Amino acid sequence: MGANDLQQAITLHRPSGPGAPVNPAAPAGPKATDRWSLEAIQALLDKPFMELLFEAQAVHRAHFPAGDIELATLLSVKTGGCPENCGYCPQSAEFDTGVKAQKLMEVDEVVRAAQAAKDAGATRFCMGAAWRAPKDRDVEKVAVLVEAVKGLGLQTCATLGMLEPHHAHQLKAAGLDYYNHNLDTAPEYYTDVVGTRTYQDRLNTLAHVRSAGISVCCGGIVGMGEAPVHRAGLIAQLANLNPYPESVPINSLVRVPGTPLADSEPVDPFDFVRMIAVARITMPTARVRLSAGRQQMGDAVQALCFMAGANSIFYGDKLLVTGNPDVEADTVLLRKLGLNARQVQETSEEGCAA
């Protein structure tokens, strides 16, 4: 790929509209309403690996400062006992994984964890609860947690299951910046993974979150036995949301004994990097988060993911109930790669900027 191809890549994938480009002098391109076909996404996934990474890095550099990495911390505030049967999840009550159901954490416990995360460099704090759909009383309690964490100067995120419209508005009023609700995979493969809800249920919650003015965190999981076309289909679903998510976590399946997907074949590391790259190209202003599965990747694969456009990681030693590289190891890796932790600016716009 030569200089002209590089400029074409930057131009082709640059959205217009408020808040998108870091470099306002660069040419404008497709608007958020332009759609990505499944064929176009598959063509990107099929590109020679080095060309794909070069293109993804070009798009990334056009929209974000070099070396900028967001550090986020995820805390399970209500663990286990979920009635859903997601084949990847150790928190399902249907599977014997050794995870015991626990009550919602107290406010002071969550605040201590959030303060520790901030002290360690995190700028976003996500609270996860193993519910199918929270009840009114659950949302009231989580709203108190959101207010308390927001008071520490952190961006707030929650993942609580399916939301009704009034729940989304209640969380917004409490100060919630982001809501995570992953699509997991392509719609055609969804019933192979989950049988207790529909794909449309997920899309409905995302619509409620958008309507309430909360930024969307939405991605998926690679390595659940899906075919290449399903990986392209997941990216197509995400990239064609209007607007596409502000945060896009790409997870590599953590194979937990006792779950139906425990014996899935590990995803090829280069295929995972390809997913990161295509997420970056198709959603150029999103924070693409290198999420679950990092513990199994090693430093070299993580470095390729950053090269492909990942610019956010979950930071800390645990992701809900599965392992994650510890803070010290992440600090050393980021230093080796010359990457810099992003500093949050406490302004009204910041919650929607990432």
Side-chain angles (χ1 to χ4, degrees):
M1 184 181 283
N4 291 336
D5 295 320
L6 170 61
Q7 184 59 57
Q8 183 179 12
I10 294 173
T11 304
L12 177 61
H13 302 300
R14 178 181 296 279
S16 62
V22 166
N23 176 8
K31 297 181 181 179
T33 51
D34 289 296
R35 302 186 65 80
W36 284 89
S37 70
L38 186 65
E39 293 76 16
I41 291 171
Q42 189 64 62
L44 286 173
L45 286 168
D46 291 341
K47 273 195 168 190
F49 186 75
M50 294 303 182
E51 288 188 22
L52 177 62
L53 258 63
F54 187 89
E55 182 173 347
Q57 180 63 200
V59 173
H60 181 67
R61 289 292 186 96
H63 296 89
F64 289 96
D68 172 68
I69 296 289
E70 175 194 66
L71 304 181
T73 293
L74 174 60
L75 176 68
S76 179
V77 298
K78 189 276 173 190
T79 301
C82 182
E84 300 274 33
N85 68 351
C86 310
Y88 52 81
C89 186
Q91 300 203 65
S92 171
E94 292 198 17
F95 313 138
D96 183 10
T97 62
V99 175
K100 304 299 182 185
Q102 300 174 19
K103 294 180 179 179
L104 185 70
M105 293 175 65
E106 298 294 333
V107 176
D108 59 342
E109 294 179 277
V110 174
V111 168
R112 282 198 299 271
Q115 184 63 59
K118 183 178 181 181
D119 292 344
T123 56
R124 188 184 301 186
F125 191 77
C126 186
M127 293 161 277
W131 289 313
R132 169 180 165 80
K135 298 179 174 61
D136 288 351
R137 64 175 180 269
D138 299 324
V139 175
E140 290 173 4
K141 292 176 181 178
V142 172
V144 175
L145 298 180
V146 169
E147 290 175 351
V149 173
K150 188 77 170 178
L152 298 177
L154 287 162
Q155 290 184 347
T156 55
C157 178
T159 178
L160 315 173
M162 294 181 287
L163 292 184
E164 296 296 333
H166 68 285
H167 291 152
H169 284 280
Q170 190 173 354
L171 292 169
K172 173 65 175 179
L176 189 67
D177 297 304
Y178 291 84
Y179 193 80
N180 168 261
H181 203 60
N182 290 335
L183 291 179
D184 296 336
T185 188
E188 297 80 11
Y189 192 64
Y190 196 70
T191 54
D192 289 70
V193 178
V194 184
T196 50
R197 61 171 181 263
T198 67
Y199 212 77
Q200 189 59 50
D201 289 333
R202 307 300 273 183
L203 295 173
N204 290 346
T205 289
L206 293 176
H208 300 332
V209 168
R210 278 286 182 217
S211 294
I214 300 171
S215 295
V216 168
C217 175
C218 183
I221 307 171
V222 185
M224 299 190 294
E226 73 281 348
V229 68
H230 299 135
R231 294 174 184 173
L234 169 63
I235 296 292
Q237 288 290 321
L238 295 169
N240 288 326
L241 291 172
N242 189 15
Y244 55 72
E246 285 82 1
S247 290
V248 181
I250 304 295
N251 302 271
S252 179
L253 176 69
V254 178
R255 295 170 294 156
V256 179
T259 61
L261 294 177
D263 296 325
S264 298
E265 287 293 321
V267 62
D268 183 286
F270 292 110
D271 288 343
F272 186 82
V273 176
R274 286 178 182 277
M275 286 291 287
I276 295 287
V278 175
R280 168 54 63 217
I281 291 167
T282 58
M283 294 170 278
T285 63
R287 284 275 169 185
V288 177
R289 180 170 300 119
L290 184 54
S291 196
R294 282 203 303 127
Q295 192 173 44
Q296 291 78 39
M297 289 180 190
D299 289 357
V301 175
Q302 290 187 68
L304 285 174
C305 289
F306 294 133
M307 184 69 184
N311 62 347
S312 177
I313 60 172
F314 271 130
Y315 190 63
D317 63 0
K318 184 174 285 190
L319 276 182
L320 295 180
V321 296
T322 59
N324 198 46
D326 63 27
V327 168
E328 183 178 355
D330 281 333
T331 301
V332 170
L333 176 60
L334 295 179
R335 188 182 303 121
K336 283 181 181 179
L337 299 177
L339 302 176
N340 306 303
R342 171 177 178 259
Q343 299 299 311
V344 69
Q345 298 174 2
E346 296 178 34
T347 66
S348 59
E349 292 80 17
E350 181 63 28
C352 295

